[in-house]
Amino acid sequence: MIPLYKPFMPETPLVNEILQSGSLTYGKYGREFESMLTGYFSTNNVIVTNTFNMAILVALTTLDIKFGDTVIVSPMACLASTQPLVSVGIKIQWADVDPQTGTLCPDSVRNLMHLGPKAIIHNHYCGHLGHIDAINSIGKEFGVPIIDDGIEAFGSEYRGLKLGNLGSDVTVFSFNPVRIPNTLDGGAIIFRDSVLFEKSKLIRDAGIDRKLFRDSIGEISADCDIKLVAHSATPMELNTYIGTQQMDNVDRLIEKQRKNAVIWDEKLNNNADINPIITADVFPNYWVYGALAKNKAETIKQFREAGFYASGVHINNNIYSVFNSKINLKGVNEFMNHFVALPCGWWFDNKLK
């Protein structure tokens, strides 16, 4: 059966050399990977972290979001996107989603702004970008930062620009094994504001200013004060080296997925029971091919019988007790009842039959 996800791993000839080098923490390859990402997104403010969990926490800490603060979040997200918030005592306020896309409903977000949220996290469900302009406009109107959650949306585009350069204050990406690119584990953060970017580099590294941390004989200097609550989130050289090798393949892999999506479009063109997710001016990375089926369970069964591992992917997070917010949301319910993901990855050649 053709799988829904599959890790990609390029040739990595220098792995053993790095492991034996004695230089395993953030260094040459970490900086090179960040430089490659900077070029890819056409932005100067990119940092890489050791995990996606840390990418979210570093972003939140940089924005000075603390225990007890409220953040507006979509229930239609991977748990990897939502659990980090409750781990530091942030209060999650679920917003409803557009049942046609699974992404934040602007009207629902606007109706929650009276709660005084410290941020809005805009998850782009399964690589399908949401209502970019509307959500960003709400953030600007109320002076609330927008965090684009691109956990599954690396390379997805809106009006010819990649997510990460679409006007939000912060964008986070995941590099775990089933993402493109993957670094075994890792994440990245893009800041629109250069001051926040500089602050984030301290927060990623336990609050340490490495230029001042050691004295003239290499001892830790008492003159280097630690002023920020921070994290230990710098990536390992092995992971970022893999990231550099991945970046040489990213465009090719995403192009293959988009070609597979065109074939799905043609296959499903006359199928009245299943409709592709389409958002104006959006060019997804097609991490999966998202569609809405009249009968979700039957559609999943039919595609699996045909050799394609169809799935609903995520479940709506507002059902979980850990978030202490089991709110009933109409758009979420409708989307969950119909969303089906089909394999669309680089690992197979989709063909018309």
Side-chain angles (χ1 to χ4, degrees):
M1 188 178 294
I2 294 170
L4 193 60
Y5 327 113
K6 185 176 180 179
F8 172 78
M9 189 54 60
E11 294 295 319
T12 51
L14 301 182
V15 166
N16 192 60
E17 179 180 319
I18 292 169
L19 290 175
Q20 301 302 322
S21 69
S23 298
L24 299 179
T25 57
Y26 176 78
K28 170 186 173 182
Y29 290 107
R31 290 186 289 272
E32 182 179 346
F33 187 34
E34 288 173 338
S35 177
M36 295 174 82
L37 291 169
T38 294
Y40 184 81
F41 291 108
S42 300
T43 181
N44 294 319
N45 301 332
V46 182
I47 68 166
V48 176
T49 60
N50 52 1
T51 67
F52 178 62
N53 185 93
M54 278 290 111
I56 293 174
L57 292 181
V58 168
L60 293 169
T61 304
T62 301
L63 293 170
D64 201 31
I65 298 172
K66 306 183 185 72
F67 181 95
D69 287 342
T70 295
V71 173
I72 293 176
V73 186
S74 168
M76 295 310 311
C78 178
L79 272 170
S81 294
T82 53
Q83 274 276 25
L85 281 71
V86 292
S87 75
V88 292
I90 291 170
K91 181 181 178 182
I92 286 179
Q93 178 61 57
W94 302 121
D96 207 352
V97 303
D98 179 341
Q100 298 301 308
T101 64
T103 58
L104 282 177
C105 169
D107 288 341
S108 178
V109 172
R110 178 174 290 279
N111 289 337
L112 296 171
M113 296 309 293
H114 70 281
L115 298 175
K118 294 301 178 72
I120 299 165
I121 299 181
H122 192 184
N123 178 271
H124 300 285
Y125 193 76
C126 287
H128 294 268
L129 302 186
H131 299 281
I132 298 288
D133 295 337
I135 297 298
N136 287 354
S137 293
I138 292 170
K140 290 176 184 177
E141 179 182 344
F142 289 89
V144 174
I146 303 297
I147 302 173
D148 274 327
D149 176 9
I151 182 172
E152 296 144 357
F154 189 99
S156 293
E157 299 176 15
Y158 175 65
R159 294 182 177 172
L161 295 175
K162 293 181 178 68
L163 184 70
N165 196 12
L166 296 179
S168 68
D169 300 277
V170 181
T171 310
V172 291
F173 292 103
S174 169
F175 301 142
N176 94 344
V178 297
R179 316 299 180 205
I180 294 177
N182 91 72
T183 61
L184 303 183
D185 201 356
I189 317 168
I190 299 174
F191 292 90
R192 187 174 60 171
D193 182 86
S194 59
V195 174
L196 289 177
F197 169 63
E198 293 299 326
K199 179 182 177 183
S200 76
K201 290 190 284 187
L202 295 175
I203 289 173
R204 175 181 64 174
D205 192 15
I208 297 169
D209 184 341
R210 291 289 169 178
K211 298 186 295 295
L212 305 174
F213 191 54
R214 295 191 180 274
D215 62 21
S216 60
I217 63 170
E219 291 295 290
I220 295 175
S221 173
D223 293 330
C224 178
D225 191 15
I226 305 300
K227 302 175 181 178
L228 298 169
V229 174
H231 305 280
S232 181
T234 51
M236 296 293 102
E237 283 288 85
L238 177 62
N239 300 77
T240 50
Y241 164 64
I242 292 172
T244 64
Q245 303 306 103
Q246 292 269 348
M247 288 302 294
D248 290 335
N249 294 276
V250 161
D251 287 338
R252 174 178 63 85
L253 299 179
I254 293 177
E255 181 183 2
K256 178 64 179 298
Q257 296 182 170
R258 286 171 170 162
K259 287 181 178 179
N260 280 342
V262 170
I263 301 300
W264 278 129
D265 286 342
E266 295 181 28
K267 286 183 176 182
L268 300 174
N269 187 43
N270 295 315
N271 189 329
D273 294 324
I274 183 167
N275 295 304
I277 289 179
I278 298 174
T279 305
D281 299 319
V282 170
F283 196 16
N285 64 1
Y286 289 105
W287 180 68
V288 297
Y289 184 89
L292 301 174
K294 287 184 178 179
N295 187 323
K296 179 174 180 174
E298 184 61 29
T299 298
I300 289 174
K301 178 183 176 182
Q302 289 175 358
F303 277 98
R304 290 188 184 182
E305 289 174 347
F308 298 96
Y309 195 90
S311 171
V313 188
H314 305 302
I315 197 168
N316 48 306
N317 289 187
N318 57 314
I319 69 169
Y320 294 122
S321 298
V322 67
F323 298 110
N324 196 31
S325 184
K326 290 190 176 184
I327 185 174
N328 187 50
L329 295 166
K330 183 179 178 180
V332 168
N333 295 341
E334 184 175 344
F335 182 76
M336 276 297 304
N337 286 339
H338 298 285
F339 178 76
V340 174
L342 305 177
C344 204
W346 52 267
W347 51 90
F348 79 106
D349 290 311
N350 205 1
K351 297 178 181 179
L352 289 171
K353 291 184 179 179

